[in-house]
Amino acid sequence: MALYTFKGGVHPHDGKEFSKDRPITELKPGKELVYLLSQHIGAPAKACVGKGDRVLAGQMIAEPGGFVSASVYSSVSGTVKAIEKRKNAVGDYVDAIVVTNDEAYEAVPEKPESDLDDLTNEEILRRIREAGVVGMGGAGFPTHVKLAPREPEKIEYILVNGAECEPYLTSDYRCMLEYPDQIIRGLQCMLKLFDHAEGVICIENNKPDAIQVMEKAAAGKSRIRVAAMKTKYPEGAERCMIDAITGRKVNSRMLPADAGCIVDNICTVIAVHDAVIYERPLTHRVFSVTGDAVVNPANYNVPVGMSCQEIIDAAGGFKSQPEKIISGGPMMGFALYDTNIPVTKTSGALTCFLEDIVSKSEETACINCGRCVRGCPARLMPFKLCDYAEHGDAELFEAAYGLECVECGSCSFQCPAKRPLAANIKSMRRTVMANKRR
């Protein structure tokens, strides 16, 4: 069987063996939960509760701050302790609602199950918006905005990203094994919005059991199929997936909708299912804690607002103090200096390593081997872009198509000289885009 793929890419050790066979288990939080008001792209949410208020699990505590924004819901019952600045994963202090958990877990009454056939497109989008669903694969773009493009009749593909090409991460994989029917029904909710679209569930071929489970769940379902993709990083990157499945190209000036596509990851599609069928807000997410430093790597269903340190403790803590803890995976995640930060809607994993091999690598001069070029999925010349970034030459950087970088890190992974290609290019890319906005 031919496998879908794209040009370029790399083959890092996948590290899935640590947690892939660990079923998802429920995890209860401690006494304090912290709900950041900025856990999505767009305007921060606005608190709609005050200090001293009692809240229920599933109650809205912050409303959208604009069209491109998302509401925030409490995942426990308890009392609002404070509305104050708290640290996020990158160390910034942002507005947050702090709730003291009463451990009663008294919840807002559940809504009855809805029949999708009875819902209008407007009702589907309203439920997704009111549930606070955002992209849970990392970007955090409000899903109701993504599913309302200007020309819905031109959408031909809804791609469900089950590639999970990021090394070590296994939350999407476990969801496909354990929640296949919710994924199919969530995709059906999305397909109802687009009369001419086909739903494609895209899975790398290193997950044959997930492919089998999802093919069985999709059997007989109109407009839904499973596509097996070549195991290669970054197969799950939005532009790479669109290229692999449709052959269409998306550049930095385009949205996927401009190529007739919408891309959402597995957890987001499950959240859409819960929002549309049960009017259930987004209060929990599946989270992996993995790596060679963890005593018992695991996959948990955790409440938004829970401390990451509590998740580490639930996994047995560390064998010894790790040299590096990453929020996300080793290719596109970022190093943490503090684990006392809250889980957000876009938090997917902690990857913990006993040894920080990157910081111990000694950078040497570029030998012009071209490996970074061969690995780059955007077909750029990362070694040149890094030179321009190091010299602060924004004009040459942009002329060499630096804005087309997808920030996947393939170049740094390939580089025998251990140059910080991806970090320098990413930094320069941010600078150029900020200058353009001015």
Side-chain angles (χ1 to χ4, degrees):
M1 179 177 67
L3 299 173
Y4 293 94
T5 193
F6 63 98
K7 281 189 176 181
V10 295
H11 298 274
H13 170 64
D14 72 6
K16 307 289 187 182
E17 69 274 8
F18 287 102
S19 58
K20 74 182 184 67
D21 296 323
R22 306 296 177 94
I24 299 166
T25 57
E26 298 288 331
L27 199 57
K28 296 289 187 184
K31 291 296 292 182
E32 182 179 275
L33 290 97
V34 178
Y35 302 94
L36 304 183
L37 301 186
S38 298
Q39 46 182 301
H40 51 263
I41 288 175
K46 298 186 296 185
C48 55
V49 293
K51 182 178 179 180
D53 288 351
R54 184 165 192 274
V55 297
L56 302 178
Q59 177 182 330
M60 184 188 292
I61 56 176
E63 60 190 7
F67 177 65
V68 182
S69 186
S71 52
V72 178
Y73 288 79
S74 180
S75 50
V76 298
S77 58
T79 304
V80 177
K81 176 182 176 182
I83 300 175
E84 61 187 20
K85 300 283 187 183
R86 286 294 184 100
K87 265 189 307 190
N88 64 12
V90 297
D92 293 333
Y93 280 86
V94 298
D95 292 331
I97 298 171
V98 183
V99 173
T100 301
N101 179 13
D102 64 12
E103 300 184 52
Y105 300 102
E106 185 180 353
V108 171
E110 286 272 340
K111 299 286 182 68
E113 181 177 347
S114 298
D115 188 331
L116 180 59
D117 292 336
D118 295 336
L119 301 178
T120 64
N121 288 5
E122 292 73 19
E123 177 68 10
I124 291 171
L125 289 171
R126 181 188 67 78
R127 291 187 178 195
I128 294 170
R129 181 183 70 249
E130 290 185 354
V133 180
V134 302
M136 297 168 71
F141 195 83
T143 303
H144 69 276
V145 179
K146 183 182 284 191
L147 293 177
R150 292 180 183 176
E151 300 176 294
E153 69 280 358
K154 293 187 177 180
I155 300 299
E156 297 178 67
Y157 295 93
I158 296 178
L159 305 181
V160 180
N161 184 359
E164 201 164 47
C165 62
E166 180 75 39
Y168 290 84
L169 308 193
T170 56
S171 55
D172 286 346
Y173 168 72
R174 292 308 314 180
C175 284
M176 288 186 283
L177 294 185
E178 299 182 46
Y179 309 137
D181 292 336
Q182 290 94 317
I183 296 168
I184 295 298
R185 293 181 77 191
L187 180 52
Q188 288 174 323
C189 293
M190 299 165 74
L191 285 169
K192 188 170 181 184
L193 301 171
F194 306 101
D195 294 336
H196 310 297
E198 175 187 32
V200 186
I201 302 168
C202 310
I203 310 172
E204 283 190 331
N205 70 327
N206 65 345
K207 307 173 184 68
D209 46 355
I211 292 173
Q212 184 178 21
V213 167
M214 291 311 306
E215 284 182 335
K216 182 178 178 181
K221 303 296 190 297
S222 174
R223 297 197 287 154
I224 295 178
R225 65 182 172 94
V226 175
M229 307 186 77
K230 186 175 181 179
T231 300
K232 181 171 63 171
Y233 179 86
E235 197 77 76
E238 194 170 62
R239 294 188 204 174
C240 298
M241 182 165 285
I242 291 171
D243 183 7
I245 300 297
T246 73
R248 300 173 185 179
K249 308 295 182 183
V250 176
N251 61 41
S252 63
R253 298 177 300 280
M254 299 170 63
L255 295 172
D258 296 325
C261 300
I262 287 174
V263 184
D264 268 311
N265 90 314
I266 291 291
C267 288
T268 307
V269 175
I270 293 172
V272 166
H273 162 266
D274 292 346
V276 175
I277 302 301
Y278 294 103
E279 296 186 72
R280 189 178 296 154
L282 177 51
T283 60
H284 288 67
R285 67 154 300 134
V286 178
F287 190 101
S288 300
V289 57
T290 184
D292 62 3
V294 181
V295 173
N296 296 305
N299 299 289
Y300 294 116
N301 188 30
V302 302
V304 171
M306 183 177 185
S307 168
C308 286
Q309 182 59 52
E310 293 174 356
I311 301 174
I312 294 168
D313 293 341
F318 298 128
K319 298 172 184 175
S320 61
Q321 185 58 36
E323 291 186 355
K324 177 166 278 188
I325 301 174
I326 300 172
S327 175
M331 295 298 287
M332 292 192 72
F334 51 89
L336 292 178
Y337 67 93
D338 188 354
T339 54
N340 289 303
I341 55 169
V343 171
T344 67
K345 298 174 186 179
T346 60
S347 306
L350 291 176
T351 308
C352 312
F353 294 115
L354 291 172
E355 185 180 10
D356 182 1
I357 60 173
V358 174
S359 68
K360 294 177 180 178
S361 300
E362 184 177 349
E363 181 182 352
T364 58
C366 175
I367 59 173
N368 296 311
C369 65
R371 292 185 192 177
C372 62
V373 178
R374 290 194 294 274
C376 179
R379 317 311 294 154
L380 304 176
M381 293 190 291
F383 70 101
K384 283 289 188 185
L385 293 173
C386 186
D387 288 343
Y388 301 146
E390 288 176 339
H391 290 89
D393 196 327
E395 186 175 342
L396 282 177
F397 181 88
E398 191 170 359
Y401 304 100
L403 293 181
E404 299 306 319
C405 171
V406 297
E407 301 181 5
C408 66
S410 295
C411 53
S412 292
F413 175 80
Q414 289 282 79
C415 181
K418 306 302 179 186
R419 296 181 73 197
L421 299 170
N424 288 342
I425 294 169
K426 180 178 180 178
S427 178
M428 190 62 179
R429 190 169 176 267
R430 295 283 192 274
T431 299
V432 172
M433 290 192 294
N435 290 339
K436 282 179 171 293
R437 284 194 292 272
R438 293 196 199 102

